[in-house]
C-alpha cells in the first residue's frame, strides 16, 4: 500500500494495483502455461479493459534461494517468464521494478543463496531501461520464528522505495507520470 499511497500523494491520481502475488512460490510456478502465469495474464487483461498498465512490480525468489541450482539459473528463467508475460499482455515498454530479497536471508538455510538471486536481479537492471532494481538493504524480518518475511515497518519502506524506482524507470521508458 505504501507504493500506491506514495504515488497518489505525489500525483493526486487513482493508483490501481492488480494483485497477483502468491506467497511461497518458486519461479518455476510462474512459467508460461502454469496456473499463476495464466492468472496474472487474465487479471491484467481484465484490468486493461478500463485502465492503463504503467508498470509491473516483482518481488519473488525466496523459494528459489534455498538451492544453488535454482539460484544460479534464476536470471535466465526470469527473463523467459517476463518476456512471455510482456508478449501475452501485449505491452512492451513499461517499467518493471524488481525488489531485492532481504539481506537477512543469507543467514538461514531457506535463503542461503539469496545473494545470488539479488545479484541476478541487479544484473537484469543493468543496461536495460525498462528494469529498475529496489535494494532491501537495511530492512528487517519479522523475527519470532519468521525470518523470511519483512516486518511491517520494512514493508512500508520497501513500498516507498518501489515508488521511487517506478518514477525513475518511468522517465527512462517515456511513461507519462502525470
Amino acid at each position: 500500500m505504501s507504493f500506491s499511497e506514495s504515488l497518489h500523494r505525489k500525483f493526486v491520481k487513482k493508483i490501481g494495483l492488480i494483485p497477483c502475488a502468491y506467497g511461497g512460490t518458486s519461479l518455476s510456478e510462474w512459467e508460461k502455461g502454469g496456473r499463476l502465469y495464466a492468472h496474472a495474464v487474465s487479471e491484467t487483461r481484465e484490468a486493461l479493459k478500463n485502465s492503463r498498465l504503467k508498470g509491473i512490480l516483482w518481488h519473488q525468489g525466496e523459494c528459489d534461494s534455498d538451492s544453488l541450482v535454482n539460484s544460479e539459473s534464476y536470471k535466465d528463467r526470469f527473463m523467459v517468464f517476463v518476456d512471455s508475460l510482456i508478449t501475452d499482455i501485449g505491452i512492451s515498454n513499461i517499467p518493471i521494478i524488481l525488489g531485492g530479497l532481504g539481506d537477512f536471508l543469507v543467514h538461514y538455510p531457506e535463503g542461503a543463496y539469496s545473494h545470488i538471486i539479488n545479484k541476478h536481479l541487479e544484473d537484469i537492471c543493468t543496461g536495460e531501461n525498462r528494469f529498475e532494481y529496489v535494494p532491501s538493504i537495511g530492512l528487517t524480518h519479522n523475527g519470532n520464528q519468521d525470518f523470511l518475511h519483512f516486518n511491517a515497518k520494512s514493508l512500508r519502506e520497501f513500498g516507498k522505495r518501489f515508488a521511487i524506482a517506478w518514477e525513475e524507470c518511468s522517465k527512462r521508458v517515456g511513461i507519462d507520470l502525470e
Side-chain angles (χ1 to χ4, degrees), residues 11 13 35 46 56 70 77 81 87 100 111 144 148 166:
F11 297 110
K13 292 200 171 233
R35 177 181 60 86
E46 186 64 29
I56 295 172
N70 286 340
R77 294 182 301 123
F81 157 74
T87 298
N144 296 328
L148 179 64
W166 177 84

Side-chain angles (χ1 to χ4, degrees), residues 12 31 41 61 114 149:
V12 193
E31 291 175 353
V41 170
S114 58
H149 300 99

Side-chain angles (χ1 to χ4, degrees), residues 80-125:
V80 168
F81 157 74
V82 81
D83 289 343
S84 297
L85 182 66
I86 293 300
T87 298
D88 288 347
I89 62 175
I91 298 174
S92 60
N93 199 31
I94 59 170
I96 303 171
I97 313 305
L98 309 178
L101 304 181
D103 292 334
F104 47 80
L105 289 173
V106 298
H107 303 293
Y108 303 98
E110 300 84 7
Y113 302 103
S114 58
H115 63 288
I116 294 173
I117 291 178
N118 281 347
K119 178 71 171 116
H120 284 309
L121 294 172
E122 287 182 79
D123 288 349
I124 289 167
C125 298

Side-chain angles (χ1 to χ4, degrees), residues 56-70:
I56 295 172
L57 309 179
W58 182 259
H59 186 256
Q60 185 279 334
E62 290 88 346
C63 285
D64 295 283
S65 68
D66 67 347
S67 156
L68 184 59
V69 171
N70 286 340

